[in-house]
Amino acid sequence: MPDHQQQDVIQEEPIAAIATPVGVGALAVIRISGRGVLDIAQRLFRKSGHPDFQLRESRGFTAHFGRVYEREGLVDEVVALVFRSPNSYTREDMVEFSCHGGPVVVRHMLQALCDAGCRLAEPGEFTRRAFLNGRIDLLQAEAIGEMIHARSESAYRTAVNQMQGNLSMKLEQLRQRLLESCALLELELDFSEEEVEFQSRDELKEQLMQLLEEVQKLVDSYRHGRLLSEGVATVIVGKPNAGKSTLLNTLLGEERAIVSHMPGTTRDYIEECFVHEKTMFRLTDTAGLREAAEEIEREGVGRSYKKIGEADLILYMLDINQPDWLREAEVIREFRDTYSRAKLIVIANKTDLSAESASRISRLQEETGCDVAGVSAKQGEGIEGLLRLMSGMVEGLDKLHDASVLVTSLRHYASLRNAGDAVENALELLSAYAGTELIAFELRSALDYVGEITGKVVSEEVLNVIFDRFCVGK
Ligand code: GDP
């Protein structure tokens, strides 16, 4: 954001953290950032072959090979990379030490840095400083967190887009437009004695309607953005013994769920993730949907229904060899209508046991109007076809929306909805010829809601929630 760049840098107290995973590795990177870190580094670091070298005088983006010493002597051979404010990740002065990647080496390095004046960093503290110093906005900071945690190609792509700042730019445009309308209205209030209109009400209405449309588009993109970033919430439902646990194991490729010959042993639900092609599926296996005669099963089934309500994708599984296979079509239709928000795929299982699978599958298709995948969960047959149907959920989503301005986080979605509501209120007030003050108030709150997303208006509490999700050293 252009105005971010010009912000003054505040150098906070010096912090230190390991930036690479803890454990044994070829290298570990330890970074320090804040007021006086070049002096701190200078106290510990001796450049090889240059006894008079002054690290604190070193230019930014230069690397120096040398040794780090603590009171007891040599700690390690390292490369020290110097960043000078404001050209660093946090915009503060920073030094990154690459040392040998062992837990004890790292402990000594951190101890030496703390003895020299640093304190250990909190999770996300480096990125938090980057935000507070205006190098990135809140959306971009969150995108960095999402990128690190991304487990699928889609989640990674959406995070990269957000980090580039396209959504930030879009929101900033919306904010500027709101700000203009708001400022004109507030100016009118200053001249209230004279009853002037700096912007005709028709013009304002036209502008707000356009704005609302754009906010609405972003709100709508969340439905898809969430699938890409968080994965598809998927539930497997069906009568006990249909083969749900077996399918779960086949999909996950390992024995996670307890497979059992007794009906109804999957008492609770478990959630596991797997990635197919670019998409992550979050799979929940539910307790059998048979009417829970046994008390012990009731709790499990109750929770299952809640999970079904939250699902993006329902896999309804039945044993195609059971005498009542066709009667289940009615239950499936009911499911389809009750949970119409989700996509429903019918899985006709145990095709290995029946010669009539093919005709039964077409019949089920006719009766339910759903896609039906014939599989043998046990033998792994038909799984590719099922995965193809499942992937259909997210195919083409990027063509439906401008992928670079997709809303992927619940926090952004909620703020945008609030902003949209406020603009809608303003429009209603306009139609009712309400006072300027009331309209200005609604626009002001819409402005705040949009500002909440990029971090223009944000509480300490929200910042804590966001940065606590980061790891130490990021
Ligand atoms: P759930 O109650 O729906 O979770 O069903 P399970 O996965 O526990 O499976 C019930 C029984 O059906 C087990 O004995 C499985 O080995 C068996 N089973 C599951 N899938 C298949 C399949 O595709 N073919 C055959 N022949 N048996 C299966």
Side-chain angles (χ1 to χ4, degrees):
M1 317 285 340
D3 56 342
H4 278 211
Q5 308 291 332
Q6 281 134 34
Q7 195 174 314
D8 284 339
V9 177
I10 302 161
Q11 299 234 22
E12 301 264 3
E13 59 178 326
I15 49 173
I18 175 170
T20 42
V22 180
V24 177
L27 288 177
V29 174
I30 288 163
R31 46 165 44 163
I32 56 179
S33 178
R35 206 183 319 121
V37 293
L38 298 180
D39 290 323
I40 290 174
Q42 156 120 7
R43 257 174 256 154
L44 308 172
F45 180 80
R46 299 284 164 271
K47 183 165 175 157
S48 302
H50 299 270
D52 300 328
F53 173 73
Q54 300 284 309
L55 190 131
R56 72 158 73 87
E57 318 271 287
S58 163
R59 279 186 297 128
F61 304 129
T62 51
H64 309 278
F65 177 64
R67 292 175 165 188
V68 164
Y69 291 88
E70 60 183 351
R71 253 169 300 172
E72 279 84 50
L74 178 65
V75 178
D76 194 9
E77 276 188 333
V78 304
V79 172
L81 186 53
V82 175
F83 301 87
R84 295 199 87 104
S85 172
N87 300 314
S88 76
Y89 184 69
T90 56
R91 300 192 82 203
E92 301 177 323
D93 286 331
M94 282 183 81
V95 181
E96 278 181 15
F97 296 100
S98 300
C99 61
H100 291 108
V104 183
V105 186
V106 167
R107 204 174 62 222
H108 276 274
M109 284 289 293
L110 287 172
Q111 187 61 56
L113 288 165
C114 287
D115 289 346
C118 288
R119 74 160 163 79
L120 294 178
E122 304 283 335
E125 200 168 2
F126 290 89
T127 310
R128 189 181 186 129
R129 289 184 178 191
F131 161 68
L132 291 174
N133 281 322
R135 197 178 73 78
I136 50 175
D137 68 17
L138 203 52
L139 273 172
Q140 292 169 310
E142 285 173 290
I144 292 170
E146 296 295 328
M147 194 166 104
I148 296 171
H149 290 117
R151 282 184 288 180
S152 70
E153 183 66 25
S154 299
Y156 165 69
R157 276 282 143 227
T158 49
V160 167
N161 274 328
Q162 190 170 313
M163 197 176 65
Q164 280 176 332
N166 294 335
L167 182 57
S168 306
M169 221 120 74
K170 175 85 199 168
L171 291 172
E172 188 53 27
Q173 281 166 9
L174 291 179
R175 222 182 67 85
Q176 284 301 331
R177 281 158 58 188
L178 270 168
L179 197 60
E180 268 166 42
S181 298
C182 209
L184 289 174
L185 287 179
E186 283 169 357
L187 204 59
E188 282 178 21
L189 288 174
D190 291 343
F191 288 85
S192 58
E193 304 292 287
E194 290 143 57
E195 292 205 8
V196 281
E197 266 186 17
F198 288 104
Q199 187 177 33
S200 89
R201 290 300 179 258
D202 284 344
E203 211 178 301
L204 179 60
K205 199 167 172 176
E206 183 61 34
Q207 274 185 14
L208 291 185
M209 283 194 337
Q210 273 179 20
L211 215 104
L212 186 62
E213 201 179 308
E214 288 177 48
V215 170
Q216 201 53 49
K217 250 195 228 159
L218 287 175
V219 167
D220 290 344
S221 76
Y222 176 61
R223 211 179 145 201
H224 297 143
R226 195 178 58 82
L227 293 186
L228 298 177
S229 70
E230 287 178 17
V232 181
T234 309
V235 289
I236 311 179
V237 298
K239 287 185 181 174
N241 266 337
K244 299 180 293 297
S245 311
T246 310
L247 176 72
L248 195 69
N249 287 335
T250 305
L251 288 176
L252 296 171
E254 52 191 273
E255 300 273 318
R256 291 273 177 82
I258 308 149
V259 188
S260 142
H261 297 278
M262 294 291 293
T265 43
T266 317
R267 300 246 184 259
D268 207 334
Y269 62 84
I270 48 171
E271 190 174 85
E272 296 279 5
C273 300
F274 78 96
V275 175
H276 178 65
E277 287 171 357
K278 292 182 193 166
T279 311
M280 185 167 85
F281 293 90
R282 290 186 287 117
L283 263 173
T284 307
D285 178 23
T286 62
L289 288 182
R290 187 184 50 160
E291 286 207 63
E294 296 167 52
E295 197 61 36
I296 191 161
E297 276 201 342
R298 208 158 279 155
E299 177 62 2
V301 173
R303 280 195 226 172
S304 303
Y305 276 108
K306 183 164 179 295
K307 274 277 158 197
I308 297 168
E310 292 164 3
D312 303 308
L313 174 62
I314 300 173
L315 302 176
Y316 189 102
M317 187 176 231
L318 58 94
D319 180 343
I320 197 77
N321 302 294
Q322 288 298 311
D324 63 347
W325 66 274
L326 191 54
R327 247 183 290 145
E328 287 207 48
E330 201 177 314
V331 182
I332 294 168
R333 279 197 300 269
E334 226 172 272
F335 256 94
R336 189 193 60 196
D337 297 342
T338 311
Y339 303 108
S340 54
R341 199 186 68 87
K343 181 183 165 73
L344 196 147
I345 297 172
V346 178
I347 303 175
N349 190 29
K350 310 197 189 181
T351 52
D352 55 305
L353 295 181
S354 165
E356 293 166 56
S357 305
S359 62
R360 290 184 179 182
I361 286 169
S362 347
R363 184 72 197 279
L364 271 176
Q365 234 148 9
E366 279 165 30
E367 295 284 329
T368 62
C370 295
D371 287 327
V372 182
V375 306
S376 166
K378 198 171 176 178
Q379 307 195 343
E381 285 161 19
I383 301 297
E384 271 309 308
L386 170 65
L387 286 171
R388 249 196 317 278
L389 286 177
M390 288 169 71
S391 295
M393 278 290 292
V394 288
E395 259 162 36
L397 286 189
D398 38 355
K399 290 183 198 82
L400 215 59
H401 298 281
D402 180 355
S404 63
V405 285
L406 212 53
V407 174
T408 56
S409 126
L410 181 60
R411 189 183 80 80
H412 309 158
Y413 168 77
S415 298
L416 274 168
R417 276 194 62 161
N418 288 336
D421 287 349
V423 175
E424 225 164 346
N425 290 346
L427 276 166
E428 269 172 33
L429 288 167
L430 266 174
S431 301
Y433 302 102
T436 308
E437 225 167 310
L438 295 176
I439 303 168
F441 174 81
E442 290 296 342
L443 293 188
R444 194 38 77 185
S445 52
L447 205 53
D448 285 349
Y449 285 124
V450 177
E452 252 174 23
I453 305 176
T454 52
K456 280 245 160 30
V457 195
V458 77
S459 69
E460 194 68 11
E461 211 177 325
V462 171
L463 289 185
N464 289 343
V465 170
I466 291 171
F467 290 105
D468 281 354
R469 284 195 60 234
F470 280 70
C471 34
V472 173
K474 191 66 219 173

